[in-house]
Amino acid sequence: MAKRSAGLIMYRFREGKAEVLLVHPGGPFWAKKDAGAWCIPKGEYPEGEDPLEAARREFLEETGLEATGPFLELAEIRQAGGKLVQAWAFTGDCDPELIVSNTFTMEWPPRSGKEATFPEVDRAAWFDFAAAREKILPSQLPLIDQLATLI
């Protein structure tokens, strides 16, 4: 069975243009990647958990911000690795410099026996739709395209 994730896309209007908030994954694998590396705040959830509640929880964990609706449901997508992602969009605003992410621990450097802690999200930024299409993981692009047709 495919793993499932749920996430939220915060959007706003600035000078008549829509912008979306994307996050950049933390950790050494993503440190030097930019175009095609950003994503929506999202995470896996166990069977039985409400996907929208999971999306709100993950948004809080990855940004430090509480998401309030109303929420606009987007069609589920399948990422390149097979994971199914359910997402919702909502209007909001924030200063991306002030986000606070939870952390994870992994062995780093590899095979060193040492543990290092990294933020799950190392930064966030607002992007108009054209820039978001370049920045987002290619398999999440359909979420941006769906949102662009709905707002």
Side-chain angles (χ1 to χ4, degrees), residues 29-99:
F29 177 74
W30 298 100
K32 295 180 181 172
K33 296 180 170 129
D34 187 55
W38 294 69
C39 56
I40 69 166
K42 67 167 190 56
E44 291 183 15
Y45 63 95
E47 190 164 331
E49 182 177 9
D50 177 69
L52 179 54
E53 288 308 308
R56 293 181 71 203
R57 173 181 42 79
E58 289 294 329
F59 190 86
L60 178 63
E61 288 177 3
E62 293 188 4
T63 67
L65 303 170
E66 191 151 340
T68 57
F71 297 100
L72 178 62
E73 187 171 2
L74 304 174
E76 186 175 68
I77 64 162
R78 183 178 298 273
Q79 290 193 160
K83 184 183 291 183
L84 298 172
V85 179
Q86 179 65 58
W88 290 262
F90 72 103
T91 59
D93 202 356
C94 71
D95 180 346
E97 298 291 321
L98 301 179
I99 68 154

Side-chain angles (χ1 to χ4, degrees), residues 21-25 30 33-40 122-127 132 134-138 140:
L21 183 75
L22 298 179
V23 295
H24 187 272
W30 298 100
K33 296 180 170 129
D34 187 55
W38 294 69
C39 56
I40 69 166
D122 62 15
R123 61 190 180 275
W126 289 102
F127 298 101
E134 293 178 15
K135 296 288 187 180
I136 200 162
L137 287 166
Q140 289 184 16

